[in-house]
Amino acid sequence: DDSGGVLEFVDHDVNGYIGQPSGEAMGAQLDRWWSNQDASREMGAHGRKIAMKLTWDTVIEKLTRVLHNDIRESREKLDSSQ
């Protein structure tokens, strides 16, 4: 489940983790990160680079682009079903 647009900024296993919102899933991921700290540091560095580029302007631009794409795709589906 996307909580406020996180999926627009997090690439799974590149700069963060996207998973099920459960304690079991989070615990498993924490164990994975702990057992591979080099990969965890690299993921953190990628995340830091993205975070440094984030401003309200970039967040709004990216989310607006996604919204426009969703609207366009919905219209295309509607048009093709008629």
Side-chain angles (χ1 to χ4, degrees), residues 6-20 25 29 32-33 43 50:
V6 170
L7 298 179
E8 303 307 319
F9 302 99
V10 175
D11 290 324
H12 182 72
D13 281 341
V14 175
N15 65 357
Y17 168 69
I18 299 169
Q20 296 301 313
Q29 185 60 42
R32 189 170 150 218
W33 284 335
M43 186 183 302
I50 289 178

Side-chain angles (χ1 to χ4, degrees), residues 27-62:
Q29 185 60 42
L30 289 170
D31 286 343
R32 189 170 150 218
W33 284 335
W34 183 255
S35 66
N36 191 346
Q37 292 183 15
D38 289 339
S40 297
R41 278 190 280 283
E42 186 175 330
M43 186 183 302
H46 287 292
R48 193 172 302 109
K49 286 179 188 175
I50 289 178
M52 297 300 290
K53 295 177 186 177
L54 288 179
T55 66
W56 279 115
D57 288 340
T58 59
V59 170
I60 291 168
E61 186 276 327
K62 190 163 188 171

Side-chain angles (χ1 to χ4, degrees), residues 52-79:
M52 297 300 290
K53 295 177 186 177
L54 288 179
T55 66
W56 279 115
D57 288 340
T58 59
V59 170
I60 291 168
E61 186 276 327
K62 190 163 188 171
L63 292 175
T64 301
R65 185 174 348 117
V66 169
L67 179 60
H68 284 292
N69 287 339
D70 288 349
I71 291 169
R72 181 183 43 76
E73 289 173 8
S74 294
R75 284 181 178 161
E76 289 172 357
K77 286 179 186 177
L78 183 62
D79 289 344

